[in-house]
Amino acid sequence: PRPAAAVNRGAAAAAVAGSRNASSRSSVGARRGVQAQAVVSPPNSVSPTTMKAPANLHGFELTREEYIAEYDAKVFMFTHVKTGAEVMSLSNDDENKCFGVTFRTPPENSYGIPHILEHSVLCGSRKYPIKEPFVELIKGSLNTFLNAMTYPDKTTYPVASCNLQDFRNLVDVYLDAVFHPKCMTNENTFLQEGWHYELDAPDAEMTFKGVVFNEMKGVYSSPDSVLARECQQALFPDTTYGVDSGGDPRVIPELGFQEFKDFHGKFYHPSNSRMFFYGDDDVEERLKVLDGFLGEFERKQVDSSIAAQPFFTEPKRVVASYASGEGEESQKSFVQVNWLLTDNGPFDAETALAVGFLDNLLLGSPAAPLRMALEESGLGEAMVGYGLEDEMFQPTFAIGLKGVEKKDIPAVEKLIFDTIEQIATDGFTQAAIDSSVNTIEFSMRENNTGRFPRGLSLMLRSLSTWLYEMDPIEPLRYEQPLAHLKQRMATEDVFRPLLKRLLLDNQHRVIVELHPDKALGKKEEDDEKARISAFRASLSAAQVEKVVEDTEELKRLQETPDSPEMLACVPTLAIADIPRAVKTIPSDLSSLGATTLLTHDLFTNDILYAEHLLDLHAVPMELMPLVPLWCRAMQRMGTAKKSFVDFDQSMGATTGGFGLSPFASSIRGSDDVAAYLVLRGKSTAGQAGQLHELMAEMMLEAKLDDREVFKQLVLESRSGAESGVQSGGHSVAAGRLGAMDSAAGYVNELMGGLAQLEYLKVLAKRVETDWDGVVVDLERIRSAVVARANSVTNLTADAKTMDASMTAVNSFLSALPAVGAGAATAPWSPSELVLPPRNELITVPTQVNYVGKGANLYKAGYELHGSSYVVNKMLSTTWLWDRVRVSGGAYGGFSDFESHSGYFTYLSYRDPNLLKTLGNYDGTVDYLAGLTLGPDELTKAIIGTMGDLDSYQLPDSKGYTSLMRHLLKVTDVERQQRREEVLGTTLKDFKAFGEALEATRAPTANVCAVVSPEAAAAAVKERPDLNFTVINVM
């Protein structure tokens, strides 16, 4: 999981979705649907304000109860009398029920024990003694969240569901997994998830394999991840944070099974646990379920305390290297300044809130002074560090640049310190403070966590103090601390003394330099091979044979499915529990002059969510790669009326924010492409006028002529795209394959794929040699696309808010020109707007591969049937999971069927294999041909698919989903048909889809993979028949 905080981490954050410090179990890459809500349980009949604790506490004692007005929730804190396990129980009317069990798990080394355990405990337990109950839950549950995450000092196991019985099933499986895992007696799980020697024959090459081992090789292939690790370990040399809880692939093979077991025995005990419930389920039932597990344990002293890092007496410097490519553009350095902010634990509530505001003031928007100074300095390509991090025992602050010339590192450091000193002298303007206050306050009150359940965001926020023996309720309150802070800000200078104390006068500071090393990747590979060779040389012939036998036995176990009788132990719902009727979203279609208007009457707590879509077809195709940069430039150079800083602060002070981005998708059964420029914003009902005035000002009067700002935007975008190829190669591969198939795929590739990266490289030079021509092109895009013709407006709010906003919406639309000047008129040809179909290997410095293969099933004759959703989901949790991940050692292996275009894609993630994975993809057809499915397995597959279709959504997402259905011509009648087809799926449908998948192993199917140069060379040599084109990117 990655952070999705609307403003920042910490007390000022309104939403948290995971952590930038967490490694996760991950699911299979199957994408959640964007449809209606799942089955719900009856809401609590008692108001949280009057709710009382249950009479029967089932072995717990009530230690505290409070009402939290901010979330209309009653909190009970319980302690299990026998074991000391702590429970935080939040009750409100949210149907999206959440549970999490968290253990404090500080490691002493970088063997990755917490991470390997997090994977392994979900591989079978006492009550569920099958290979992977976790995967069975993915297959057959209505979960709205299912994962596990390893942090530097804790491991947490969260689940969520809107269906009460499903929720109880998830909780039961997870509790049994953490307290009674099979991996304590089954060493093969440790070998599979952690590491093992793999040898297929006595004369074959011996290698290291393991899911976590390969996952962390992928992490260590990313320079940004290397930087983050070096910085954390340099700040905390004397504590548990000085090692890598995720595991360093150079030392993971030093971990033995006994040490792995001992770690679980020590830390995975109720006395070291913190358990969290949230939602509208019954409190007494929560306690009863927990006592059923905890009752068999005795209280135990567990020393899992996190030691404080003593403050340094003087700053330090660390110089390290990362594996770089051969290209000249790859030879750039990173520099980051890091501070430890406290000497003994988290901030108190008010300080935390103030530091959150300070973080936002320094870095929270492009106009924030520290961020602006770095981004507009011309000294680097993009910012790193990102400011405040407060999810560990002691909070930190970090900021720097990447893409820096080595000679410019001192200048970057000087700029950071000079800027902070200047701010400490001058303070922040009142406009900046007003903007920050409104931005943070809006975000807190909106509490929009996106697809991440609200309850789990509160759990993670509580753990920021609870984990360290502090008040878990305090981080959830913001009204009183916010009111007090605003009072202080009106009468005293809050931020300058804080800035001086935390940053300027703070000697616990580390500057980390990270430099490119073209030889490092080969050296690390050679070191690994030498280590394996030394081990092999120490073996007798009989011992070598034993390694071969162990390899065969592990693969046999991995590839042998559980019997239907064994799988029946995992609880699941019945088809009868699923509503037959599709859930609809309130939607009204009308017109407002030349604009199509969609409105959705939903309760949004007085917030208006507005999307204004302009026709992207109007942009000439030769300018399409420039559109993403144009979107960014429109928001970064100010307007005819306001400077960039004034405009940004006006937006922050009076709205919930707005942004501009392109969108393109195929439409099933049509050569048309839905392609729009999306202007998306939000505000309170009272701010709708300001929101739309600022939108109009930006669209019509934004300046586009600041060369230095634009140059920086190009460099930032290029840097981000390069990082994306290294760390998200599966997305790059999928984009290339889609671009070989459809006009929508081609346009998306131009705007966001490898083609965009290549365009950015050329554009960076063009900015220097032909700036006037670039400005002309930017203005041509605006003239063409900013127009009323073929526009669509989508509004989501309750009727009262909508009515109050319509004057502002009308005013905005009326300000737009009727048609664009110089707009393109030629239709997008599906035969011309595609990349030439071929097999591609994209090379970057990496220790792992991302392997894609695909074909268009519609072009091969397949007609869409709802059962395809079921088959696709099941492939990702059976054949591909078992062969690509479990047996193959990749971190992920999955498939994706894009029902609008008909394109079917296989993808792998952080994969040690290339050709072997392609072989597994091709084996899918035979797997489906020979598949037998009992009634229970079929039911599970159908229910899991329904969980995707009926995923939980907040109001803004519902409105946007309805908009997408309108654009892509998906009617509720068709949705009902697909739902019936999903619910009626039979084994015959699996066989039929298997026949359609013949297209994916036909000669017309295409391969695209992101790999190392060495892996590409080996594949070209071994499979000349695939006629690979090798593209060197970095």
Side-chain angles (χ1 to χ4, degrees):
R2 310 302 301 168
V7 181
N8 59 45
R9 318 294 299 166
V16 182
S19 166
R20 66 171 75 115
N21 271 332
S23 306
S24 74
R25 177 78 162 79
S26 182
S27 66
V28 293
R31 296 163 196 178
R32 299 304 260 156
V34 281
Q35 310 237 352
Q37 289 183 13
V39 186
V40 299
S41 62
N44 279 313
S45 55
V46 181
S47 164
T49 52
T50 57
M51 181 180 286
K52 302 293 182 192
N56 185 347
L57 296 181
H58 296 279
F60 287 85
E61 65 173 337
L62 176 66
T63 58
R64 184 177 174 190
E65 61 177 290
E66 291 198 27
Y67 171 69
I68 302 181
E70 286 86 342
Y71 304 104
D72 190 25
K74 187 62 176 266
V75 182
F76 297 114
M77 297 298 302
F78 299 105
T79 299
H80 192 245
V81 176
K82 193 176 178 194
T83 64
E86 297 176 23
V87 177
M88 187 173 185
S89 170
L90 272 77
S91 295
N92 62 8
D93 63 358
D94 193 341
E95 64 181 353
N96 199 7
K97 291 163 276 294
C98 303
F99 167 77
V101 53
T102 300
F103 302 95
R104 204 158 54 189
T105 51
E108 295 178 354
N109 51 48
S110 296
Y111 295 174
I113 312 177
H115 191 185
I116 297 168
L117 251 181
E118 174 235 298
H119 281 238
S120 300
V121 300
L122 293 168
C123 295
S125 63
R126 184 174 71 183
K127 192 172 176 182
Y128 306 106
I130 58 173
K131 289 201 302 182
E132 300 212 58
F134 175 76
V135 179
E136 296 307 308
L137 293 176
I138 296 172
K139 283 184 200 174
S141 128
L142 297 175
N143 75 82
T144 55
F145 190 89
L146 184 73
N147 214 328
M149 290 96 82
T150 302
Y151 292 78
D153 57 9
K154 64 180 177 280
T155 310
T156 187
Y157 296 85
V159 298
S161 179
C162 293
N163 180 285
L164 181 60
Q165 187 55 53
D166 187 57
F167 177 64
R168 289 176 177 164
N169 293 346
L170 297 174
V171 172
D172 197 68
V173 172
Y174 262 47
L175 285 170
D176 202 60
V178 298
F179 291 124
H180 306 294
K182 263 194 350 176
C183 64
M184 290 301 97
T185 54
N186 180 5
E187 188 173 359
N188 284 316
T189 301
F190 166 73
L191 300 176
Q192 169 184 296
E193 299 297 324
W195 77 277
H196 63 275
Y197 291 105
E198 182 157 295
L199 186 63
D200 291 326
D203 58 348
E205 181 186 10
M206 185 183 285
T207 58
F208 286 134
K209 278 285 176 69
V211 173
V212 168
F213 177 77
N214 282 304
E215 177 188 347
M216 296 313 295
K217 284 184 85 169
V219 169
Y220 276 54
S221 293
S222 160
D224 294 78
S225 298
V226 173
L227 177 73
R229 182 189 78 240
E230 292 286 351
C231 292
Q232 179 182 308
Q233 295 181 1
L235 274 179
F236 296 95
D238 306 314
T239 78
T240 189
Y241 302 134
V243 299
D244 190 342
S245 63
D248 182 338
R250 293 169 297 189
V251 298
I252 287 173
E254 293 175 26
L255 176 62
F257 186 46
Q258 187 59 48
E259 188 174 352
F260 169 78
K261 291 196 296 181
D262 291 345
F263 194 92
H264 180 275
K266 179 177 181 179
F267 294 119
Y268 278 60
H269 189 279
S271 302
N272 187 44
S273 69
R274 288 158 177 81
M275 301 189 219
F276 178 94
F277 276 99
Y278 166 95
D280 64 0
D281 56 312
D282 182 63
V283 175
E284 183 181 343
E285 184 64 26
R286 295 172 176 179
L287 300 180
K288 184 179 175 184
V289 166
L290 292 179
D291 187 53
F293 283 92
L294 304 180
E296 63 183 278
F297 290 89
E298 301 296 332
R299 190 183 290 255
K300 172 182 169 183
Q301 281 298 117
V302 180
D303 181 11
S304 64
S305 58
I306 311 297
Q309 170 64 49
F311 260 19
F312 298 162
T313 55
E314 59 183 14
K316 298 186 178 183
R317 181 179 297 272
V318 170
V319 180
S321 302
Y322 71 92
S324 68
E326 293 293 329
E328 185 182 329
E329 289 159 351
S330 301
Q331 308 313 308
K332 296 284 181 72
S333 297
F334 294 65
V335 59
Q336 182 167 305
V337 186
N338 310 271
W339 289 266
L340 186 65
L341 300 184
T342 72
D343 60 356
N344 192 25
F347 295 118
D348 62 77
E350 190 167 315
T351 306
L353 189 62
V355 175
F357 270 92
L358 178 62
D359 180 52
N360 184 261
L361 283 162
L362 290 170
L363 299 168
S365 83
L370 183 54
R371 176 171 165 184
M372 192 169 167
L374 284 166
E375 290 185 338
E376 296 191 359
S377 66
L379 293 170
E381 294 179 353
M383 211 170 71
V384 290
Y386 310 110
L388 177 66
E389 174 61 75
D390 61 355
E391 289 195 326
M392 297 184 289
F393 182 52
Q394 292 163 278
T396 64
F397 189 90
I399 189 65
L401 284 174
K402 65 178 176 177
V404 178
E405 297 284 351
K406 193 172 182 179
K407 66 178 175 57
D408 288 333
I409 284 177
V412 174
E413 294 173 22
K414 184 175 186 303
L415 177 63
I416 290 170
F417 291 114
D418 286 353
T419 305
I420 293 172
E421 282 182 5
Q422 189 69 50
I423 297 167
T425 301
D426 299 343
F428 297 101
T429 65
Q430 191 58 46
I433 292 171
D434 291 345
S435 175
S436 188
V437 168
N438 182 72
T439 299
I440 290 173
E441 201 166 349
F442 185 98
S443 184
M444 285 173 162
R445 298 193 196 292
E446 184 192 21
N447 191 25
N448 191 333
T449 57
R451 283 158 54 181
F452 192 77
R454 281 174 165 162
L456 295 184
S457 77
L458 297 183
M459 179 188 82
L460 291 174
R461 219 178 301 167
S462 290
L463 283 167
S464 69
T465 51
W466 191 14
L467 196 75
Y468 311 117
E469 324 298 347
M470 294 170 65
D471 184 355
I473 297 176
E474 193 175 60
L476 306 188
R477 298 195 185 282
Y478 60 79
E479 291 288 6
Q480 193 176 343
L482 183 61
H484 188 242
L485 182 62
K486 286 162 83 171
Q487 209 172 31
R488 280 183 61 204
M489 286 179 348
T491 58
E492 64 178 282
D493 188 343
V494 173
F495 299 113
R496 285 196 300 171
L498 207 54
L499 193 61
K500 195 168 184 307
R501 175 168 67 86
L502 294 178
L503 300 185
L504 288 179
D505 297 341
N506 184 351
Q507 295 299 297
H508 195 111
R509 183 173 75 234
V510 182
I511 295 173
V512 175
E513 299 178 30
L514 194 66
H515 299 298
D517 184 341
K518 287 186 275 191
L520 183 60
K522 176 132 190 350
K523 179 184 180 300
E524 289 175 340
E525 189 178 330
D526 290 346
D527 287 349
E528 183 179 310
K529 287 181 177 176
R531 181 176 185 174
I532 295 169
S533 295
F535 170 74
R536 182 169 184 156
S538 72
L539 303 179
S540 65
Q543 288 171 320
V544 169
E545 192 57 53
K546 177 74 166 60
V547 176
V548 174
E549 290 172 7
D550 289 346
T551 300
E552 288 175 355
E553 175 62 9
L554 182 59
K555 285 186 177 178
R556 185 189 67 76
L557 291 169
Q558 289 169 331
E559 294 173 7
T560 303
D562 292 306
S563 68
E565 294 76 24
M566 291 284 285
L567 291 172
C569 72
V570 178
T572 189
L573 302 174
I575 298 290
D577 295 324
I578 307 295
R580 303 296 297 193
V582 75
K583 293 288 179 78
T584 59
I585 295 169
S587 188
D588 192 42
L589 179 64
S590 60
S591 60
L592 209 56
T595 302
T596 299
L597 177 67
L598 281 93
T599 57
H600 313 286
D601 183 358
L602 292 164
F603 176 74
T604 58
N605 207 18
D606 297 328
I607 293 174
L608 171 74
Y609 296 98
E611 288 90 25
H612 300 291
L613 281 68
L614 308 178
D615 187 6
L616 196 60
H617 292 86
V619 176
M621 190 56 67
E622 72 271 13
L623 297 180
M624 203 60 70
L626 188 56
V627 166
L629 262 298
W630 177 82
C631 289
R632 294 191 66 192
M634 288 282 283
Q635 300 170 76
R636 286 295 295 272
M637 298 183 196
T639 69
K641 294 175 185 164
K642 295 184 184 74
S643 71
F644 160 58
V645 172
D646 288 344
F647 186 87
D648 189 79
Q649 289 175 349
S650 295
M651 179 170 68
T654 60
T655 77
F658 55 87
L660 200 55
S661 60
F663 160 81
S665 172
S666 297
I667 299 171
R668 193 173 62 83
S670 170
D671 285 342
D672 289 344
V673 175
Y676 294 90
L677 192 72
V678 183
L679 176 60
R680 194 171 189 190
K682 56 191 174 185
S683 73
T684 61
Q687 294 172 334
Q690 290 107 311
L691 172 71
H692 284 89
E693 283 171 18
L694 288 169
M695 282 180 166
E697 185 178 336
M698 180 184 76
M699 297 305 287
L700 299 169
E701 301 179 69
K703 290 182 177 177
L704 293 167
D705 58 356
D706 190 323
R707 176 153 80 175
E708 291 309 307
V709 169
F710 190 79
K711 177 182 173 183
Q712 187 59 37
L713 294 177
V714 173
L715 295 177
E716 278 177 23
S717 297
R718 187 181 75 186
S719 178
E722 287 173 343
S723 296
V725 178
Q726 278 186 294
S727 60
H730 58 304
S731 297
V732 174
R736 294 294 286 182
L737 292 169
M740 297 176 197
D741 176 69
S742 69
Y746 178 78
V747 169
N748 282 321
E749 171 69 8
L750 291 181
M751 295 191 296
L754 189 62
Q756 170 72 183
L757 173 55
E758 297 305 321
Y759 176 82
L760 290 170
K761 290 178 181 178
V762 174
L763 183 61
K765 294 172 181 170
R766 187 181 168 210
V767 170
E768 301 292 350
T769 60
D770 181 27
W771 173 240
D772 290 344
V774 173
V775 174
V776 168
D777 285 349
L778 291 169
E779 289 292 358
R780 282 178 64 202
I781 292 174
R782 171 160 50 195
S783 298
V785 77
V786 179
R788 195 84 186 260
N790 302 317
S791 63
V792 179
T793 286
N794 188 62
L795 304 175
T796 305
D798 59 77
K800 182 183 173 186
T801 300
M802 202 99 66
D803 290 344
S805 306
M806 286 313 296
T807 301
V809 171
N810 249 320
S811 178
F812 167 77
L813 293 173
S814 299
L816 300 179
V819 291
T825 54
W828 290 2
S829 165
S831 59
E832 293 174 16
L833 296 181
V834 285
L835 291 180
R838 62 185 188 182
N839 295 330
E840 294 182 343
L841 298 177
I842 298 163
T843 65
V844 296
T846 180
Q847 300 179 56
V848 291
N849 305 314
Y850 302 85
V851 185
K853 186 176 187 182
N856 192 302
L857 304 190
Y858 293 166
K859 292 176 183 176
Y862 178 73
E863 291 188 10
L864 181 62
H865 189 272
S867 60
S868 63
Y869 306 155
V870 184
V871 184
N872 177 56
K873 172 142 181 132
M874 191 168 182
L875 284 176
S876 294
T877 54
T878 53
W879 173 254
L880 296 173
W881 178 277
D882 291 339
R883 295 300 168 127
V884 177
R885 178 181 166 121
V886 174
S887 174
Y891 184 36
F894 53 97
S895 57
D896 182 64
F897 182 40
E898 215 283 317
S899 61
H900 303 295
S901 68
Y903 203 79
F904 186 93
T905 318
Y906 298 107
L907 294 165
S908 72
Y909 184 69
R910 294 179 183 166
D911 190 346
N913 307 301
L914 172 51
L915 297 178
K916 181 181 174 184
T917 296
L918 292 175
N920 283 323
Y921 294 163
D922 288 349
T924 304
V925 174
D926 297 330
Y927 165 74
L928 288 173
L931 182 68
T932 56
L933 273 182
D936 290 347
E937 276 295 272
L938 185 57
T939 296
K940 200 179 289 182
I942 291 169
I943 288 172
T945 305
M946 294 308 300
D948 287 349
L949 294 179
D950 286 348
S951 65
Y952 179 79
Q953 291 184 299
L954 296 175
D956 64 316
S957 295
K958 290 181 183 178
Y960 197 71
T961 293
S962 186
L963 167 67
M964 288 297 114
R965 289 177 187 155
H966 169 78
L967 298 179
L968 303 180
K969 299 180 169 51
V970 178
T971 65
D972 286 340
V973 172
E974 185 194 339
R975 290 178 57 236
Q976 183 63 46
Q977 178 190 338
R978 300 290 167 235
R979 189 179 188 88
E980 295 290 347
E981 290 167 352
V982 167
L983 291 169
T985 298
T986 66
L987 180 59
K988 186 178 173 186
D989 295 314
F990 278 77
K991 307 289 186 183
F993 195 72
E995 291 169 9
L997 287 181
E998 279 287 0
T1000 64
R1001 62 178 187 182
T1004 49
N1006 293 115
V1007 172
C1008 183
V1010 175
V1011 300
S1012 67
E1014 296 76 16
V1020 168
K1021 183 177 179 183
E1022 190 173 339
R1023 290 293 304 273
D1025 57 303
L1026 290 176
N1027 196 25
F1028 284 119
T1029 298
V1030 179
I1031 304 171
N1032 181 31
V1033 175
M1034 296 164 67

